[in-house]
Amino acid sequence: MRPVLQLLLLFSSILSATSVSFRCTTRPGCQGMIGYVSPNTTTLSSIRDLFGLESVYSLLAANSWPTSDSNRSITAGSTVRIPFPCSCSNGTGISDRTPDYTVKNGDTGLDYIARTIFGQFVTYPEIAAVSNISNVNLINVGQKLRIPLPCSCDDVDGARVVHYGHVVANGSSVSQIAAEFETTEATLMSLNNETLSDPKNLQAGQILDVPIKACNSSVVSSLLVPNGSYALTANNCVQCSCNLKDLQYVSLCHIDVECPDDF
């Protein structure tokens, strides 16, 4: 490769590596969530494996899809809510030791993995830092990489929320995103002031920290269910849902049809 072309490619990679970080200063851990936009038609099982989830049920719950829909197909361009454990330190939150990614044939570099496979929710320097990679230009097929997804556990406007990594769609505005997620433009600007100083500068593909209202459980103190989703407890036997009608407590719990007869 010509030296000039090498420099251009390196400069392009540096420009693309804009850090995606959410502030997290009040709690050491919680549940994080991102809205992953699938680059191709795939399956829930493939997305489960990509993000290191224990089962497809966590995906079904996060997206409020029926528990019977475990073979659901995901079309290219669809947004899938991905739940994951969040860990906070030094004022920033990242996914807690998950997911791990195994380098495959055709992966042209860390920047490709960050931008194409994980939809720019992470940058190649961030992958290199947590994966102890000293040479960002050298990765091998079969190598294990840790992917630090952005997250936060902070309250917003005095309330518990689930922080959601939202990919800005083409033609979106800050006010439209605020209305969609039942928050305010001022709240979005405050949460994202390090990367978005002016709502006019919003760009397609940008990652925003969006607070989703959530239900608390009156029975399980650690259970926080994002609005528009449900949680499965007791070995996936009890389904607890959350909607805007009642954000004080989990609004509906029932025995799921998949539960064993002797539960």
Side-chain angles (χ1 to χ4, degrees):
M1 185 180 292
R2 296 178 182 178
V4 173
L5 182 56
Q6 286 181 318
L7 288 174
L8 287 174
L9 288 174
L10 177 61
F11 183 63
S12 175
S13 294
I14 293 173
L15 286 178
S16 71
T18 302
S19 178
V20 180
S21 60
F22 292 177
R23 293 191 302 273
C24 188
T25 59
T26 59
R27 287 187 180 85
C30 64
Q31 174 186 290
M33 183 177 287
I34 62 169
Y36 174 69
V37 181
S38 179
N40 46 47
T41 297
T42 186
T43 63
L44 281 184
S45 295
S46 294
I47 293 179
R48 174 203 62 197
D49 294 343
L50 178 63
F51 287 94
L53 303 176
E54 291 185 0
S55 73
V56 296
Y57 286 107
S58 59
L59 289 173
L60 294 172
N63 293 275
S64 201
W65 292 329
T67 55
S68 59
D69 209 4
S70 59
N71 293 321
R72 188 186 188 95
S73 177
I74 305 300
T75 58
S78 297
T79 299
V80 181
R81 290 185 175 189
I82 310 293
F84 57 89
C86 175
S87 178
C88 299
S89 64
N90 300 319
T92 302
I94 61 172
S95 52
D96 190 2
R97 297 183 296 276
T98 189
D100 287 328
Y101 178 75
T102 302
V103 178
K104 299 176 176 57
N105 281 317
D107 291 342
T108 56
L110 290 180
D111 190 49
Y112 168 83
I113 293 170
R115 289 187 295 112
T116 304
I117 297 177
F118 287 95
Q120 302 186 77
F121 279 104
V122 64
T123 66
Y124 78 86
E126 291 168 340
I127 296 176
V130 298
S131 302
N132 297 316
I133 295 176
S134 57
N135 185 353
V136 298
N137 297 311
L138 180 62
I139 57 173
N140 300 305
V141 173
Q143 185 174 356
K144 294 282 188 180
L145 304 175
R146 182 182 166 196
I147 308 299
L149 303 174
C151 57
S152 175
C153 299
D154 289 354
D155 292 353
V156 174
D157 298 330
R160 290 293 305 276
V161 300
V162 172
H163 288 258
Y164 176 72
H166 172 71
V167 181
V168 176
N170 188 35
S172 292
S173 66
V174 174
S175 59
Q176 177 265 321
I177 295 171
E180 177 183 351
F181 289 96
E182 301 288 339
T183 187
T184 67
E185 184 173 341
T187 295
L188 287 181
M189 295 302 297
S190 175
L191 285 175
N192 298 279
N193 62 354
E194 294 183 3
T195 56
L196 185 63
S197 59
D198 188 330
K200 295 180 181 178
N201 295 333
L202 187 70
Q203 298 180 0
Q206 189 171 2
I207 309 297
L208 294 184
D209 179 356
V210 176
I212 296 181
K213 295 178 181 179
C215 295
N216 295 298
S217 172
S218 58
V219 179
V220 184
S221 60
S222 61
L223 182 62
L224 190 69
V225 184
N227 179 52
S229 65
Y230 62 84
L232 293 171
T233 63
N235 295 323
N236 294 337
C237 287
V238 178
Q239 179 177 316
C240 299
S241 303
C242 178
N243 58 56
L244 283 175
K245 294 179 181 178
D246 179 8
L247 286 172
Q248 295 300 315
Y249 299 104
V250 170
S251 57
L252 176 64
C253 290
H254 66 272
I255 304 301
D256 192 79
V257 293
E258 299 293 331
C259 191
D261 293 336
D262 58 353
F263 174 75

